Amino acid sequence: MKSLAEFLVPNLHGFESDPIGYSALAWHKWGMAQTVAGFPIDITRAPTHRDLKSPILWLSQAHALSEAAVNVVKSDPNLDHLPIYTKGVCHSQYHAVALMLVGLSLETGLKAMMIIRDGIDAYAEIERQNRHHRLHDLAEFVPDLSEKDLAILEALTHFIYWAGKYPDPGSGRETDAVDVFEIAERYEVTAKELFSLSARILGYAIELLEE
């Protein structure tokens, strides 16, 4: 029989055998980790809002999203079976998914930092104000962000809302597609700058934890 600690290590076959259940186990594994550390948690009960507001869970989720984005960027999609006319289309859309993951990683990390900064109860009181994906607004407390940094965050916001999921921002919002290109052309953002900003923002969590 497996020990409690053995349940905490990644299970390379867990997703294959039970993709939905395995992917939903994060809180339970965190509860088990706390139990192993000497702070018993009853994982048979439903988690409370305080359980789910653990900044550890949020920062871990941000890391998972970031790792997923990196793996997407580093891997070439298989486009061999597509007609020649749509290979380039899908290739751009594939990288749009990567930017969506980068943006979601930043959103999750920024909200984790708010929980660290304000505490769980105080954050719960203002949580409704932060139920959006506008990274350039969520990052207002991060020091030393330049105009270009905020523009990158605004662009990534588009990829969270629509550009990483759909080809169309929605009826009445067609100008959003123009906004993305205007940011790209005006600021000439490189992949290195984008990922460097992401690392710098997520790294700010360490400073908050040390305060």
Side-chain angles (χ1 to χ4, degrees):
M1 183 175 179
K2 288 185 177 181
S3 68
L4 196 59
E6 288 178 306
F7 279 105
L8 298 177
V9 299
N11 180 349
L12 300 181
H13 303 291
F15 181 83
E16 180 182 351
S17 61
D18 182 13
I20 296 174
Y22 184 78
S23 299
L25 278 177
W27 177 80
H28 299 81
K29 289 188 175 184
W30 175 229
M32 292 163 69
Q34 293 176 84
T35 299
V36 170
F39 303 94
I41 299 293
D42 180 7
I43 61 172
T44 64
R45 62 169 175 77
T48 67
H49 85 95
R50 290 185 61 84
D51 292 327
L52 298 177
K53 286 295 187 296
S54 164
I56 299 297
L57 281 176
W58 284 68
L59 289 173
S60 179
Q61 183 80 47
H63 183 71
L65 286 160
S66 179
E67 283 294 298
V70 168
N71 278 284
V72 169
V73 171
K74 286 185 175 180
S75 303
D76 288 326
N78 180 9
L79 307 176
D80 293 343
H81 58 292
L82 294 180
I84 185 64
Y85 303 106
T86 58
K87 289 181 188 291
V89 174
C90 190
H91 195 259
S92 290
Q93 291 170 326
Y94 177 87
H95 286 86
V97 172
L99 292 189
M100 176 183 67
L101 292 171
V102 172
L104 288 171
S105 173
L106 285 170
E107 178 187 346
T108 306
L110 287 165
K111 290 178 179 178
M113 286 183 254
M114 292 179 188
I115 296 172
I116 294 170
R117 180 192 64 185
D118 301 329
I120 293 175
D121 293 331
Y123 179 78
E125 293 182 8
I126 63 170
E127 182 179 14
R128 200 171 290 232
Q129 302 170 24
N130 298 315
R131 285 180 180 164
H132 60 79
H133 309 296
R134 297 187 300 276
L135 300 177
H136 44 298
D137 291 334
L138 293 173
E140 54 84 23
F141 63 89
V142 179
D144 303 322
L145 293 180
S146 67
E147 178 184 328
K148 185 171 186 175
D149 293 336
L150 293 172
I152 293 172
L153 294 177
E154 184 176 354
L156 287 173
T157 297
H158 284 290
F159 285 92
I160 297 174
Y161 272 110
W162 65 274
K165 298 179 285 187
Y166 319 114
D168 168 21
S171 299
R173 303 192 64 175
E174 290 80 5
T175 57
D176 285 4
V178 178
D179 291 343
V180 176
F181 282 103
E182 287 181 345
I183 292 172
E185 291 177 5
R186 179 177 177 185
Y187 293 96
E188 299 180 339
V189 180
T190 66
K192 181 179 180 180
E193 289 174 318
L194 188 147
F195 282 102
S196 176
L197 173 62
S198 176
R200 180 154 51 92
I201 290 176
L202 292 177
Y204 185 58
I206 297 175
E207 294 184 36
L208 287 176
L209 288 168
E210 290 177 346
E211 289 181 358

